[in-house]
Amino acid sequence: MIELLQSFARRLLWLPSRFLRWGFPGVENPMNHLGSLTIFFCWIVLISGIWLLIFFRTSVSGAFESLEYLTHQQWYLGGIMRSLHRYASDAMIVTIALHIFHEFSRNTYRVTRWFSWVAGLPLVWIVFILGISGYWLVWDELAQYVAITSSELLDAIPIFTSKMAANFLQDTSLSDRFFTLMAFLHLVGLPIFLVFGIWLHVFRLSSPRINPPKRLMAGTLLAMLVLALLFPAVSQDQANLAQAPQTLQLDWFYLHVFPLVQIWSPGWVWVLLTGISALILFAPWLPPGKAVKSAHVDLDNCNGCQRCADDCPYGAIQVVPRSDGKRYEHEVVVEADLCTSCGICVGACPTATPFRKRSPLVPGIDLPRSSAQVLKESIDEATATFPLVLSIACTGSPELAWLESNNKAVVAVSCVGQIPPSYLDYILSRNLSARILLTGCGGGCRHRFGMDWAEQRISRERDPNLRRRVGAHRIAMAWREPWSSLGGLKKQVAALEKQAQEDNR
Ligand code: HEM
Ligand code: SF4
Ligand code: SF4
């Protein structure tokens, strides 16, 4: 059932990613950077917010007028800043929603990866409350509607003794102090929670990608500026508590539940919101994912070089002082509750080499379910009849399924980052195959850095790297975006087979 929903989510994501790849092809596709794009929008909101704050007056009578001044008299800067502030806030809702969908579709939120998902939920609440409190500060008719409706919502919670909605019965009952409190919440309190929340959200990941690619940032900012110039953000009529607003233009990104308060009742809106939150909160265990067997360290074969710790995408490897009396300074320890069994550490370990005489092959770090020894045996088996192309593909990927069903020589790995460069050397220098194709899920690598590390090791930018005697031109890579078709892979396999045949002539 869950796989069906995930595959449905992938299909839904296919459309925006196809559209966006015209402007941002390959790894730069915004769908690969939804978390970092959200942070980029936060920056725009923060910087434009600082400009607005300089001119904003935190009083009931001054708020509306100060924003009118910025919008009309200072349209060339204050007006643009206001529009950027609004549109970047709206964009955050879109990127957060797509980010949740994207992570769900890639199954990156279960078993040992539950933490970022669960820590993401408070971020949604903070961003919504930030946006809603921002609409209060404009103090126009929309603000009046938002203030009254959110007070009705809050009054439905039995913990409040005095009724908040009473503040909005008439202009005189709304105090400047109350307004300043709202401004403090929006300008200081909630942003601090947001920054702390984002830190908590990514703190278990190693090297979290918090900045999108430069071209993507530039393109996004440009699009926002164009939007700000074409459709400047404006206020509606000034709030007047003596009369109910007649026509309102709702911001559907932030305020979509507000009409429900009138159509249903505040109580039912809370039922809906807590229901959706509970669903997100418990999603990693609905149903619980299959437990993984974590990587294990063999101290007899570990020289404490720390490469595995540097390459682990989940910070699951700790470097500690040596405990077995060997002359090395360090050893490594795997934290089982962080390990996803991706095998990237095995690809980083210099002792994981098929050239070792010792049998069975036991490297410093290994996966219990698909060990370095098993990997070597699979390669030997797949190359027994000298295939022109040997493909190496991730377990469970559509690439693997296609290669197997088309009788191509293929070896399955947990992640392409699991394959140590010495194995590629082994295949080519022993002439087990003419060409190697590494294939996986590209910019959307499910294990974050598998593709990057594989590429960097082959291009000799990262240790352990491919030895110079191996012609890197004999190794090709086909990284498919998770939502795109297998067309590119098919073409690349055919091209490699052709090249190998020409080599043989
Ligand atoms: C303000 C809102 C949010 C921001 C700024 C944000 C940002 C990020 C960033 C920067 C990453 C790291 C990407 C990487 O380096 O691989 C990430 C990962 C992730 N986020 Fe968010 N996120 C937000 C909200 C959420 C929400 C609401 C959820 C889900 C309920 C969520 C679920 C995840 C998951 C599952 C990962 C991947 C963790 C892993 O690879 O193990 N995020 N997010
Ligand atoms: S298998 Fe993956 S998650 Fe586990 S220790 Fe190795 S690199 Fe880290
Ligand atoms: S990469 Fe291998 S040798 Fe180096 S510290 Fe890790 S397990 Fe030990």
Side-chain angles (χ1 to χ4, degrees):
M1 170 71 176
I2 204 79
E3 282 85 10
L4 213 68
L5 286 174
Q6 285 170 340
S7 127
F8 180 63
R10 276 196 297 276
R11 274 165 211 270
L12 283 185
L13 290 171
W14 180 83
L15 205 66
S17 54
R18 286 291 282 203
F19 172 71
L20 290 165
R21 81 175 183 181
W22 284 335
F24 304 98
V27 181
E28 279 186 352
N29 194 311
M31 302 301 281
N32 290 329
H33 304 279
L34 292 164
S36 57
L37 258 182
T38 309
I39 296 180
F40 179 61
F41 290 131
C42 277
W43 278 113
I44 300 183
V45 170
L46 179 77
I47 293 166
S48 55
I50 290 174
W51 189 259
L52 299 184
L53 179 63
I54 296 172
F55 296 89
F56 186 68
R57 278 187 276 145
T58 55
S59 63
V60 182
S61 55
F64 182 81
E65 279 153 26
S66 57
L67 283 174
E68 284 297 281
Y69 164 78
L70 281 169
T71 312
H72 301 293
Q73 264 97 305
Q74 207 198 84
W75 66 267
Y76 49 87
L77 191 56
I80 289 179
M81 286 295 187
R82 181 180 182 189
S83 304
L84 285 181
H85 196 71
R86 183 178 293 180
Y87 294 140
S89 308
D90 287 346
M92 273 175 78
I93 294 293
V94 177
T95 49
I96 291 175
L98 288 172
H99 178 53
I100 298 178
F101 232 56
H102 189 222
E103 299 302 333
F104 169 75
S105 77
R106 298 189 317 154
N107 203 23
T108 58
Y109 64 101
R110 296 163 86 198
V111 199
T112 54
R113 294 174 82 172
W114 61 272
F115 185 84
S116 293
W117 179 274
V118 171
L121 179 62
L123 292 178
V124 179
W125 277 89
I126 297 172
V127 170
F128 268 107
I129 300 173
L130 252 171
I132 291 166
S133 61
Y135 274 108
W136 280 44
L137 297 184
V138 180
W139 209 234
D140 60 356
E141 285 189 331
L142 181 62
Q144 180 179 340
Y145 167 77
V146 170
I148 293 172
T149 316
S150 25
S151 300
E152 282 170 18
L153 264 177
L154 289 176
D155 287 343
I157 308 176
I159 53 171
F160 293 110
T161 45
S162 58
K163 295 280 174 209
M164 266 187 83
N167 280 301
F168 306 105
L169 291 177
Q170 47 188 303
D171 280 330
T172 47
S173 57
L174 185 64
S175 70
D176 280 351
R177 202 185 300 165
F178 184 77
F179 208 76
T180 310
L181 181 78
M182 281 312 296
F184 178 80
L185 194 72
H186 181 76
L187 303 169
V188 185
L190 289 167
I192 290 176
F193 274 113
L194 183 63
V195 172
F196 173 73
I198 293 176
W199 170 81
L200 192 71
H201 181 59
V202 295
F203 110 109
R204 272 175 55 153
L205 300 176
S206 78
S207 315
R209 281 170 292 209
I210 52 171
N211 293 319
K214 286 198 183 80
R215 229 173 66 86
L216 183 54
M217 283 197 268
T220 313
L221 185 60
L222 190 71
M224 293 263 143
L225 276 170
V226 171
L227 204 63
L229 283 168
L230 291 182
F231 306 101
V234 289
S235 306
Q236 298 180 30
D237 287 343
Q238 186 164 11
N240 176 3
L241 291 178
Q243 67 183 51
Q246 294 307 305
T247 44
L248 286 174
Q249 281 162 344
L250 279 193
D251 177 327
W252 288 100
F253 295 95
Y254 281 93
L255 307 176
H256 44 264
V257 295
F258 277 57
L260 292 181
V261 177
Q262 276 90 41
I263 300 171
W264 297 346
S265 71
W268 279 111
V269 172
W270 278 118
V271 171
L272 177 75
L273 296 180
T274 40
I276 294 174
S277 300
L279 196 65
I280 295 179
L281 186 68
F282 296 112
W285 299 277
L286 292 173
K290 239 182 22 210
V292 292
K293 285 208 163 177
S294 60
H296 63 81
V297 176
D298 184 89
L299 268 194
D300 285 343
N301 287 289
C302 168
N303 60 26
C305 71
Q306 308 183 25
R307 282 178 193 151
C308 53
D310 290 345
D311 281 10
C312 172
Y314 307 102
I317 303 178
Q318 301 303 318
V319 180
V320 296
R322 198 78 190 189
S323 64
D324 60 357
K326 287 219 172 91
R327 62 189 170 87
Y328 307 112
E329 211 178 317
H330 296 115
E331 65 185 48
V332 287
V333 177
V334 176
E335 281 190 42
D337 58 347
L338 293 182
C339 175
T340 63
S341 201
C342 64
I344 290 176
C345 49
V346 183
C349 184
T351 66
T353 160
F355 294 110
R356 285 178 71 177
K357 298 265 174 341
R358 210 165 132 178
S359 187
L361 197 169
V362 182
I365 195 161
D366 211 353
L367 291 187
R369 285 213 176 118
S370 80
S371 66
Q373 173 67 28
V374 168
L375 189 56
K376 179 171 179 289
E377 285 165 9
S378 313
I379 289 173
D380 289 340
E381 196 184 322
T383 53
T385 52
F386 184 70
L388 291 175
V389 180
L390 173 68
S391 298
I392 295 173
C394 307
T395 312
S397 65
E399 284 82 0
L400 182 67
W402 182 83
L403 289 159
E404 281 177 343
S405 61
N406 284 276
N407 293 323
K408 305 286 178 193
V410 58
V411 169
V413 282
S414 288
C415 169
V416 278
Q418 186 193 351
I419 189 97
S422 55
Y423 276 67
L424 306 178
D425 181 354
Y426 172 75
I427 297 163
L428 295 177
S429 60
R430 298 267 166 106
N431 225 11
L432 303 180
S433 172
R435 290 281 191 281
I436 298 175
L437 175 68
L438 298 182
T439 178
C441 46
C445 176
R446 226 174 67 74
H447 288 295
R448 304 188 61 232
F449 299 130
M451 172 200 87
D452 293 346
W453 294 172
E455 264 181 8
Q456 289 175 21
R457 290 169 191 158
I458 291 166
S459 61
R460 304 183 181 106
E461 292 161 44
R462 190 175 192 88
D463 276 339
N465 53 44
L466 190 66
R467 286 174 66 175
R468 296 226 167 253
R469 69 175 179 185
V470 184
H473 68 281
R474 293 172 68 193
I475 304 171
M477 292 168 236
W479 309 131
R480 187 181 58 92
E481 297 304 325
W483 43 76
S484 59
S485 73
L486 289 167
L489 174 72
K490 292 175 196 171
K491 276 193 205 138
Q492 198 146 3
V493 172
L496 284 173
E497 284 171 346
K498 201 166 155 220
Q499 281 172 21
Q501 274 160 356
E502 280 165 12
D503 285 354
N504 281 351
R505 270 190 216 131

